[in-house]
Amino acid sequence: MIELEGVPELIDPVMVAAFEGWNDAGDAASTAVGHLDREWKGEVFAALDAEDYYDFQVNRPTVFLENGVRKITWPTTRLSVVRVGGDKPRDLVLVRGIEPSMRWRSFCNELLGFAHELGVEMVVILGALLGDTPHTRPVPVSGVTSDPDLARTMDLEETRYEGPTGIVGILQEACTHAGVPAVSLWAAVPHYVSQPPNPKATLALLNRLEDLIGLRIPLGELPEDARAWQLGVDQLAAEDSEVAEYVQTLEEARDTAELPEASGEAIAREFERYLRRREPGTGPGPGVATEGGDSPFLRDPGSGRTRPPKPEQPGPESVPGAEAAPEAETEPEAGADADAPDGGSVPDGGATGENPPGENPPGEDPSGEDPDASGPDDDSGK
């Protein structure tokens, strides 16, 4: 039985989850949830038992010294709560951990137990995949769901992906079968620069999440970090003519594919979004998480989190330009090219050709995963 005596009654709670591993190219998704936790001062109230879900030879515990005393941090998944203030206060339940090694059904059922006890109204799962997308263009972010009604009301893609999947796809399906509205947001990370961190992809996920749940998210230094990241990649690409030519090819393909989108309606939608993000009083402010007081949150004494060995990066997802991900069970992103060149095709670019993680955005065919790809399976689609 789940007991949440230290957690106050929540206001219109939304659960936001991300998992390190195959569904987290460039660490973009887990970094996004970590950003929310830091900016809103989240308080950990629960941690899943590491013994139940993790293979410690795959995700090893770490030893550290604290005041001369040796302690161990175990790989696990933790839940925290943040309260966002403003005209319309709302609570977020943040789930951040590592893709489990085993017992996925029990893992999802345990998370759903917390969601039920906390009255969660919707679950949003963040993921990132490797794709044939140029770093010089906006990061494609696809929103997919298994619920046809939710797809219509929230302008999302209804996933139709079939193939291998990861924990993101499994959790989304578990939510759907339990009657809990669930959405997966997938960012496409350039496969030729897949090393973490990728602040530009993290920023894109947070912007899409902001629109989805109607909260103003404080971005801190992320916009500046994203600009610095792009400038750094620009400089590296400029030093290699073959890489620069390859990037130009991706840019031309992307621009050609998106040309039909440059309609008056699309431009109007983007302009409205721009105004919403900058006009004061159009939505809840950044807010501050409540700490202590009359409703203190329980703290997990072992809240330190170990970064496990980075799993192989999966191949591109169905996100526009994302490579086909074998293990991405999320819906491919609209306009994604399942036949996009393998990551390894980048000249001297270090592309990994791994299959993308997590949900494949609408339109992507994840079935072309390379068995030798270094990336873990992507769990994109339901």
Side-chain angles (χ1 to χ4, degrees):
M1 179 178 180
I2 296 175
E3 296 184 5
L4 301 172
E5 295 180 358
V7 180
E9 183 177 353
L10 304 184
I11 302 173
D12 301 329
V14 171
M15 178 177 282
V16 181
F19 304 93
E20 296 177 17
W22 192 50
N23 308 284
D24 194 22
D27 290 354
S30 58
T31 300
V33 173
H35 176 86
L36 297 175
D37 197 60
R38 286 192 306 275
E39 292 294 324
W40 281 323
K41 300 178 176 62
E43 293 291 339
V44 174
F45 66 88
L48 305 191
D49 190 341
E51 292 278 349
D52 291 339
Y53 306 114
Y54 295 97
D55 179 346
F56 300 139
Q57 290 183 325
V58 175
N59 298 296
R60 292 184 179 274
T62 58
V63 178
F64 65 98
L65 289 174
E66 185 176 283
N67 298 323
V69 178
R70 292 174 66 81
K71 296 187 177 182
I72 297 176
T73 298
W74 298 92
T76 189
T77 294
R78 293 183 172 83
L79 293 85
S80 58
V81 172
V82 298
R83 174 152 294 171
V84 185
D87 297 335
K88 297 180 179 179
R90 145 167 270 177
D91 294 320
L92 297 182
V93 179
L94 304 179
V95 179
R96 187 184 180 198
I98 306 164
E99 182 177 65
S101 306
M102 50 201 168
R103 303 183 67 225
W104 284 15
R105 286 178 294 185
S106 297
F107 180 86
C108 292
N109 286 337
E110 189 163 354
L111 290 180
L112 282 171
F114 282 106
H116 175 73
E117 291 297 321
L118 294 168
V120 166
E121 298 181 345
M122 181 170 66
V123 174
V124 180
I125 316 166
L126 306 184
L129 50 87
L130 298 180
D132 288 330
T133 181
H135 71 279
T136 53
R137 296 294 185 265
V139 175
V141 177
S142 61
V144 297
T145 179
S146 297
D147 185 334
D149 294 331
L150 197 62
R152 285 192 296 271
T153 58
M154 302 193 75
D155 192 23
L156 301 167
E157 294 290 337
E158 184 181 352
T159 181
R160 298 191 181 283
Y161 168 75
E162 296 179 85
T165 187
I167 194 60
V168 170
I170 298 299
L171 179 56
Q172 181 169 315
E173 284 306 306
C175 291
T176 300
H177 288 299
V180 179
V183 176
S184 295
L185 300 181
W186 288 92
V189 172
H191 64 76
Y192 57 89
V193 57
S194 60
Q195 302 87 341
N198 188 317
K200 187 172 181 179
T202 295
L203 181 61
L205 281 171
L206 290 175
N207 284 337
R208 184 63 185 275
L209 176 66
E210 183 178 66
D211 292 341
L212 185 70
I213 63 179
L215 287 181
R216 182 76 59 81
I217 297 175
L219 299 177
E221 298 179 356
L222 263 180
E224 183 58 34
D225 290 344
R227 284 189 290 270
W229 177 87
Q230 180 166 326
L231 288 174
V233 179
D234 285 343
Q235 293 173 359
L236 291 175
E239 295 172 0
D240 189 313
S241 60
E242 291 185 352
V243 173
E245 183 179 352
Y246 179 75
V247 172
Q248 183 177 3
T249 300
L250 293 179
E251 291 174 337
E252 293 172 352
R254 173 77 179 274
D255 295 343
T256 299
E258 293 187 345
L259 191 58
E261 296 300 322
S263 64
E265 182 179 350
I267 294 173
R269 284 199 305 268
E270 185 60 27
F271 184 62
E272 290 173 359
R273 181 182 185 282
Y274 173 86
L275 294 178
R276 285 200 306 273
R277 287 179 55 78
R278 286 158 181 75
E279 290 181 359
T282 56
V288 179
T290 58
E291 303 181 64
D294 298 330
S295 56
F297 296 120
L298 298 180
R299 285 182 176 278
D300 175 20
S303 59
R305 199 160 61 81
T306 304
R307 178 166 292 286
K310 187 70 180 175
E312 305 178 42
Q313 275 289 18
E317 291 285 43
S318 43
V319 175
E323 303 174 346
E327 205 155 352
E329 191 184 311
T330 79
E331 186 151 75
E333 175 158 319
D337 183 0
D339 298 324
D342 185 79
S345 63
V346 181
D348 301 326
T352 60
E354 307 150 340
N355 295 316
E359 300 210 29
N360 289 326
E364 176 101 89
D365 178 6
S367 61
E369 175 176 358
D370 180 358
D372 298 325
S374 59
D377 285 2
D378 172 22
D379 174 27
S380 77
K382 336 286 40 335

